[in-house]
mmCIF file of all heavy atoms in Angstrom:
data_model
loop_
_atom_site.group_PDB
_atom_site.id
_atom_site.type_symbol
_atom_site.label_atom_id
_atom_site.label_comp_id
_atom_site.label_asym_id
_atom_site.label_seq_id
_atom_site.Cartn_x
_atom_site.Cartn_y
_atom_site.Cartn_z
ATOM 1 N N TYR A 562 20.064 9.556 -48.890
ATOM 2 C CA TYR A 562 19.472 10.718 -48.206
ATOM 3 C C TYR A 562 18.385 11.406 -49.005
ATOM 4 O O TYR A 562 18.087 10.952 -50.152
ATOM 5 C CB TYR A 562 20.614 11.716 -48.038
ATOM 6 C CG TYR A 562 21.413 11.486 -46.843
ATOM 7 C CD1 TYR A 562 22.484 10.485 -46.825
ATOM 8 C CD2 TYR A 562 20.968 12.086 -45.648
ATOM 9 C CE1 TYR A 562 23.051 10.265 -45.637
ATOM 10 C CE2 TYR A 562 21.672 11.783 -44.463
ATOM 11 C CZ TYR A 562 22.775 10.911 -44.480
ATOM 12 O OH TYR A 562 23.415 10.611 -43.250
ATOM 13 N N GLY A 563 17.740 12.293 -48.330
ATOM 14 C CA GLY A 563 16.700 12.981 -49.036
ATOM 15 C C GLY A 563 15.402 12.204 -48.876
ATOM 16 O O GLY A 563 15.330 11.032 -48.426
ATOM 17 N N THR A 564 14.332 12.772 -49.460
ATOM 18 C CA THR A 564 13.099 12.139 -49.305
ATOM 19 C C THR A 564 12.248 12.235 -50.575
ATOM 20 O O THR A 564 11.776 13.228 -51.047
ATOM 21 C CB THR A 564 12.194 12.965 -48.342
ATOM 22 O OG1 THR A 564 13.105 13.235 -47.204
ATOM 23 C CG2 THR A 564 11.048 12.154 -47.811
ATOM 24 N N GLY A 565 12.172 11.098 -51.239
ATOM 25 C CA GLY A 565 11.328 10.983 -52.383
ATOM 26 C C GLY A 565 9.971 10.455 -51.830
ATOM 27 O O GLY A 565 9.800 10.151 -50.661
ATOM 28 N N THR A 566 9.019 10.298 -52.833
ATOM 29 C CA THR A 566 7.728 9.787 -52.370
ATOM 30 C C THR A 566 7.901 8.378 -51.916
ATOM 31 O O THR A 566 7.169 7.948 -50.904
ATOM 32 C CB THR A 566 6.783 9.749 -53.573
ATOM 33 O OG1 THR A 566 7.630 9.495 -54.794
ATOM 34 C CG2 THR A 566 6.071 11.025 -53.726
ATOM 35 N N GLU A 567 8.892 7.497 -52.448
ATOM 36 C CA GLU A 567 9.078 6.220 -51.923
ATOM 37 C C GLU A 567 9.428 6.182 -50.452
ATOM 38 O O GLU A 567 8.866 5.454 -49.668
ATOM 39 C CB GLU A 567 10.172 5.614 -52.770
ATOM 40 C CG GLU A 567 9.810 5.268 -54.150
ATOM 41 C CD GLU A 567 11.040 4.758 -54.881
ATOM 42 O OE1 GLU A 567 11.804 3.950 -54.322
ATOM 43 O OE2 GLU A 567 11.290 5.105 -56.091
ATOM 44 N N LYS A 568 10.361 7.085 -50.128
ATOM 45 C CA LYS A 568 10.856 7.084 -48.709
ATOM 46 C C LYS A 568 9.742 7.581 -47.694
ATOM 47 O O LYS A 568 9.629 6.998 -46.633
ATOM 48 C CB LYS A 568 12.044 8.000 -48.596
ATOM 49 C CG LYS A 568 13.433 7.201 -48.868
ATOM 50 C CD LYS A 568 14.429 7.840 -47.878
ATOM 51 C CE LYS A 568 14.565 7.063 -46.716
ATOM 52 N NZ LYS A 568 15.602 7.736 -45.747
ATOM 53 N N VAL A 569 8.907 8.488 -48.203
ATOM 54 C CA VAL A 569 7.800 9.042 -47.437
ATOM 55 C C VAL A 569 6.775 7.921 -47.086
ATOM 56 O O VAL A 569 6.452 7.724 -46.045
ATOM 57 C CB VAL A 569 7.101 10.217 -48.010
ATOM 58 C CG1 VAL A 569 5.849 10.520 -47.395
ATOM 59 C CG2 VAL A 569 8.107 11.424 -48.047
ATOM 60 N N GLU A 570 6.609 7.148 -48.262
ATOM 61 C CA GLU A 570 5.584 6.079 -48.201
ATOM 62 C C GLU A 570 6.134 5.040 -47.116
ATOM 63 O O GLU A 570 5.341 4.564 -46.218
ATOM 64 C CB GLU A 570 5.406 5.426 -49.515
ATOM 65 C CG GLU A 570 4.460 4.202 -49.368
ATOM 66 C CD GLU A 570 4.416 3.419 -50.733
ATOM 67 O OE1 GLU A 570 5.287 3.610 -51.573
ATOM 68 O OE2 GLU A 570 3.476 2.734 -50.904
ATOM 69 N N GLU A 571 7.393 4.731 -47.148
ATOM 70 C CA GLU A 571 8.050 3.723 -46.329
ATOM 71 C C GLU A 571 7.945 4.198 -44.890
ATOM 72 O O GLU A 571 7.549 3.455 -43.995
ATOM 73 C CB GLU A 571 9.495 3.581 -46.684
ATOM 74 C CG GLU A 571 9.912 2.228 -46.849
ATOM 75 C CD GLU A 571 11.342 2.211 -47.419
ATOM 76 O OE1 GLU A 571 12.388 2.482 -46.700
ATOM 77 O OE2 GLU A 571 11.494 1.941 -48.683
ATOM 78 N N GLU A 572 8.308 5.444 -44.726
ATOM 79 C CA GLU A 572 8.259 5.949 -43.240
ATOM 80 C C GLU A 572 6.843 5.995 -42.680
ATOM 81 O O GLU A 572 6.730 5.585 -41.565
ATOM 82 C CB GLU A 572 8.893 7.436 -43.293
ATOM 83 C CG GLU A 572 9.031 7.913 -41.835
ATOM 84 C CD GLU A 572 9.410 9.341 -41.681
ATOM 85 O OE1 GLU A 572 9.759 9.925 -42.666
ATOM 86 O OE2 GLU A 572 9.168 9.921 -40.574
ATOM 87 N N LEU A 573 5.887 6.340 -43.525
ATOM 88 C CA LEU A 573 4.572 6.496 -43.106
ATOM 89 C C LEU A 573 4.028 4.981 -42.768
ATOM 90 O O LEU A 573 3.304 4.778 -41.746
ATOM 91 C CB LEU A 573 3.654 7.112 -44.101
ATOM 92 C CG LEU A 573 2.210 7.364 -43.605
ATOM 93 C CD1 LEU A 573 2.216 8.298 -42.396
ATOM 94 C CD2 LEU A 573 1.346 7.989 -44.767
ATOM 95 N N GLN A 574 4.402 4.101 -43.610
ATOM 96 C CA GLN A 574 3.951 2.725 -43.415
ATOM 97 C C GLN A 574 4.439 2.146 -42.092
ATOM 98 O O GLN A 574 3.800 1.445 -41.370
ATOM 99 C CB GLN A 574 4.399 1.957 -44.558
ATOM 100 C CG GLN A 574 3.591 0.521 -44.660
ATOM 101 C CD GLN A 574 2.163 0.688 -45.115
ATOM 102 O OE1 GLN A 574 1.915 0.848 -46.345
ATOM 103 N NE2 GLN A 574 1.237 0.699 -44.250
ATOM 104 N N ASP A 575 5.709 2.483 -41.702
ATOM 105 C CA ASP A 575 6.347 2.207 -40.406
ATOM 106 C C ASP A 575 5.505 2.838 -39.293
ATOM 107 O O ASP A 575 5.252 2.102 -38.318
ATOM 108 C CB ASP A 575 7.716 2.688 -40.374
ATOM 109 C CG ASP A 575 8.672 1.659 -40.908
ATOM 110 O OD1 ASP A 575 8.259 0.573 -41.243
ATOM 111 O OD2 ASP A 575 9.952 1.889 -41.039
ATOM 112 N N LEU A 576 5.156 4.035 -39.400
ATOM 113 C CA LEU A 576 4.467 4.761 -38.307
ATOM 114 C C LEU A 576 2.989 4.237 -38.225
ATOM 115 O O LEU A 576 2.489 4.246 -37.091
ATOM 116 C CB LEU A 576 4.490 6.215 -38.635
ATOM 117 C CG LEU A 576 5.896 6.915 -38.565
ATOM 118 C CD1 LEU A 576 5.843 8.266 -39.143
ATOM 119 C CD2 LEU A 576 6.361 7.060 -37.099
ATOM 120 N N MET A 577 2.396 3.915 -39.336
ATOM 121 C CA MET A 577 1.018 3.508 -39.347
ATOM 122 C C MET A 577 0.840 2.137 -40.070
ATOM 123 O O MET A 577 0.471 2.230 -41.156
ATOM 124 C CB MET A 577 0.141 4.630 -39.893
ATOM 125 C CG MET A 577 0.331 5.887 -39.312
ATOM 126 S SD MET A 577 -0.857 7.029 -40.001
ATOM 127 C CE MET A 577 -1.044 8.187 -38.677
ATOM 128 N N PRO A 578 1.118 1.101 -39.383
ATOM 129 C CA PRO A 578 1.181 -0.217 -40.130
ATOM 130 C C PRO A 578 -0.111 -0.578 -40.734
ATOM 131 O O PRO A 578 -0.253 -1.281 -41.703
ATOM 132 C CB PRO A 578 1.682 -1.135 -39.124
ATOM 133 C CG PRO A 578 2.147 -0.357 -37.918
ATOM 134 C CD PRO A 578 1.558 1.016 -37.958
#
Side-chain angles (χ1 to χ4, degrees):
Chain A
Y562 274 87
T564 315
T566 34
E567 289 175 44
K568 272 214 94 189
V569 169
E570 181 188 14
E571 225 170 81
E572 188 189 342
L573 187 62
Q574 197 72 78
D575 269 356
L576 291 165
M577 302 183 157

